[in-house]
Amino acid sequence: MLSKAMLDILNKQTEKEAYASQLYLSMASWAEAKGLEGISEWFYAQSEEEREHMLKFVRYINERGGHATVPKVDLPPKDFPSVKAVFEASLEHEQMVTAAIGDIVALSLEQKDFTTNNWIQWFVTEQLEEESSVQGILDKLDLLGDGPLYHFDRDVMNMRGAEGEA
Ligand code: FEO
């Protein structure tokens, strides 16, 4: 059985994962509307992964005798100033999620909830992969500078880190 504090923090994380899914969906739509097919596919796939993350939280809460709340999420931004800005916003979001996962790890240790501590480790690894994947893309964009995005857009799907492991 989960403590009230653990239930609350896991429900909040469910909301963060749901928001991430919507944010990446909005980024996918922005890129698609601009004709950036590869980038939009990258964000559509990312959006799906985040929905899987959200479902993992819902199912874990219920498995541990709680009742997961289906979250209401804020509207994500619709427009982004540039391709680089969109990936920077993605990295910033992942860093925020990593910190939030860290808070769950800390609470699980404080409460000696070793089941949650064990379960949440998957997300610790996932966050490392996600941050590193987006950072890798930003490094490529830095190399490209103001050059044309055609090849980058064509190749970006091959830069997905932990594809299919959600
Ligand atoms: Fe589920 Fe990318 O955080």
Side-chain angles (χ1 to χ4, degrees), residues 17 20 24 46 50 53 94 97 123 127 130:
E17 303 292 345
Y24 292 147
Q46 201 65 18
E50 297 297 351
H53 293 176
E94 290 306 327
V97 170
F123 282 93
Q127 283 311 118
E130 293 212 332

Side-chain angles (χ1 to χ4, degrees), residues 7-139:
L7 182 60
D8 285 351
I9 202 171
L10 292 174
N11 268 320
K12 280 202 188 98
Q13 192 62 33
T14 305
E15 183 184 332
K16 288 186 172 71
E17 303 292 345
Y19 178 75
S21 180
Q22 295 293 85
L23 175 65
Y24 292 147
L25 184 58
S26 185
M27 289 170 168
S29 175
W30 174 84
E32 192 167 47
K34 291 207 164 319
L36 297 162
E37 228 173 273
I39 293 170
S40 88
E41 283 310 316
W42 195 94
F43 279 109
Y44 276 127
Q46 201 65 18
S47 175
E48 284 296 318
E49 262 194 28
E50 297 297 351
R51 182 177 155 76
E52 284 298 319
H53 293 176
M54 178 197 70
L55 289 174
K56 277 180 191 281
F57 277 93
V58 167
R59 290 188 176 136
Y60 179 70
I61 290 167
N62 291 338
E63 193 183 345
R64 292 291 311 278
H67 184 172
T69 309
V70 174
K72 176 173 185 282
V73 294
D74 292 338
L75 207 58
K78 185 176 178 184
D79 284 306
F80 303 89
S82 66
V83 166
K84 190 167 181 203
V86 100
F87 281 103
E88 280 170 346
S90 168
L91 181 60
E92 201 177 306
H93 189 79
E94 290 306 327
Q95 287 166 339
M96 184 276 287
V97 170
T98 300
I101 296 290
D103 290 342
I104 298 173
V105 174
L107 185 68
S108 70
L109 290 173
E110 188 189 309
Q111 298 198 332
K112 295 188 167 43
D113 180 348
F114 299 118
T115 307
T116 298
N117 183 268
N118 182 54
W119 179 79
I120 200 73
Q121 294 307 316
W122 184 90
F123 282 93
V124 174
T125 308
E126 175 71 5
Q127 283 311 118
L128 175 67
E129 284 168 359
E130 293 212 332
E131 279 194 37
S132 145
S133 162
V134 182
Q135 187 59 62
I137 288 172
L138 282 167
D139 291 346

